[in-house]
Amino acid sequence: MHLDVHDLREFYYRSTLGRAAQKVIRDELVRLWPEAKGQTVAGFGFAVPLLRPYLGDARRVIGLMPGPQGVMPWPAGEPNVSVLCEDTLWPLATGSVDKLVLLHGLETSERPLALLDECWRVLGPGGRAVFVVPNRTGLWSRSDRTPFGYGRPYSLGQLEALLRSVGLIPVKTLSTLYQPPSARPLWRRLAKTMESAGQHLPVFAAGGVLMVQATKQVPQPKRPGLTEAVKRPLSVLEGMGGPVVKPV
């Protein structure tokens, strides 16, 4: 179930811990995507804190917010670019997005495969998507004091397998948010040092979140199950006679 937009806004824009998490994840995204000049950039879930660096040079920036979560106007003081939508029905043309990022979108969706199908649909040729999810083995997924403690956490293998199943091929993976999910002054002072040290940990993917960049596979692989409309449906009532009338 998606989190409430008011709670997410309070965390990312009003709390010290949330602003720190926002900066760490956004900095990693900018390293992956230094610019988006003339491109269409979209975010789903509560990805708008990560989209600000692209407002200046992107052709278009769109913040997609799921209906159960709710929507808020964004960015503050500028023309609104956020829109309320269904998980699996986005108001975007097929193949229209160059860069797509999901934050608090995949792990809280009740239909993750259908959501990923929608991601595949809107990505254009050569388009890239970054999925930010709670790390199953990290500290942040074990605390309900942050949004990363809700929904379905993933291991790296689980996330990569899920993406491949819908035709989104991982091309780069990383882990970040090594600082503990605590607002105590001591941990806040050590946060920058811990983030730097975390990049050199011998155990990969030890951070609080996983970030996987994927590209679109064409054609999309077929999954087991009913994939097309039945051309000649069974007529279950064919051959049944009319009601039997007994003589009086």
Side-chain angles (χ1 to χ4, degrees):
M1 182 176 179
H2 290 291
L3 298 169
D4 186 87
V5 68
H6 297 293
D7 295 332
L8 292 165
R9 180 177 59 186
E10 288 294 315
F11 177 73
Y12 280 108
Y13 291 104
R14 305 283 173 82
S15 74
T16 303
L17 184 61
R19 289 194 297 269
Q22 175 188 157
K23 183 180 187 308
V24 169
I25 299 170
R26 188 176 60 228
D27 287 350
E28 290 291 351
L29 183 66
V30 171
R31 290 188 187 97
L32 291 173
W33 298 341
E35 53 83 29
K37 188 174 182 180
Q39 298 180 349
T40 296
V41 182
F44 176 78
F46 196 75
V48 288
L50 309 182
L51 302 182
R52 183 168 288 278
Y54 307 108
L55 286 172
D57 60 354
R59 183 175 69 87
R60 189 181 183 192
V61 174
I62 308 155
L64 303 164
M65 298 192 181
Q69 170 190 292
V71 67
M72 73 176 195
W74 186 89
E78 299 181 37
N80 177 58
V81 301
S82 63
V83 60
L84 193 69
C85 67
E86 297 294 334
D87 278 24
T88 58
L89 190 62
W90 298 355
L92 297 175
T94 297
S96 62
V97 175
D98 300 294
K99 287 182 168 65
L100 172 67
V101 57
L102 274 72
L103 175 66
H104 303 306
L106 180 60
E107 74 271 17
T108 53
S109 175
E110 296 179 357
R111 301 177 61 194
L113 281 174
L115 171 60
L116 291 175
D117 280 335
E118 190 70 350
C119 295
W120 187 95
R121 181 187 71 81
V122 302
L123 280 175
R128 297 292 175 102
V130 167
F131 300 88
V132 185
V133 299
N135 183 2
R136 168 172 281 186
T137 61
L139 292 176
W140 289 69
S141 66
R142 306 177 192 183
S143 171
D144 58 7
R145 289 177 290 182
T146 83
F148 295 102
Y150 295 86
R152 182 189 306 103
Y154 288 92
S155 69
L156 183 58
Q158 289 171 334
L159 181 56
E160 288 184 332
L162 187 65
L163 295 177
R164 289 182 186 277
S165 71
V166 299
L168 294 167
I169 307 304
V171 294
K172 187 175 180 61
T173 61
L174 60 94
S175 176
T176 190
L177 212 56
Y178 293 95
Q179 57 192 277
S182 172
R184 293 183 177 180
L186 173 62
W187 294 121
R188 294 300 91 225
R189 289 194 297 270
L190 294 175
K192 187 175 181 179
T193 302
M194 296 183 73
E195 294 296 338
S196 299
Q199 301 297 329
H200 305 287
L201 287 176
V203 180
F204 178 72
V209 300
L210 301 173
M211 297 179 67
V212 175
Q213 181 178 204
T215 189
K216 179 177 179 176
Q217 175 187 345
V218 179
Q220 187 176 28
K222 293 185 178 296
R223 297 195 300 275
L226 188 63
T227 58
E228 59 180 330
V230 178
K231 296 179 180 178
R232 192 172 184 275
L234 294 175
S235 300
V236 294
L237 299 181
E238 277 185 3
M240 291 185 65
V244 177
V245 180
K246 293 182 179 181
V248 178

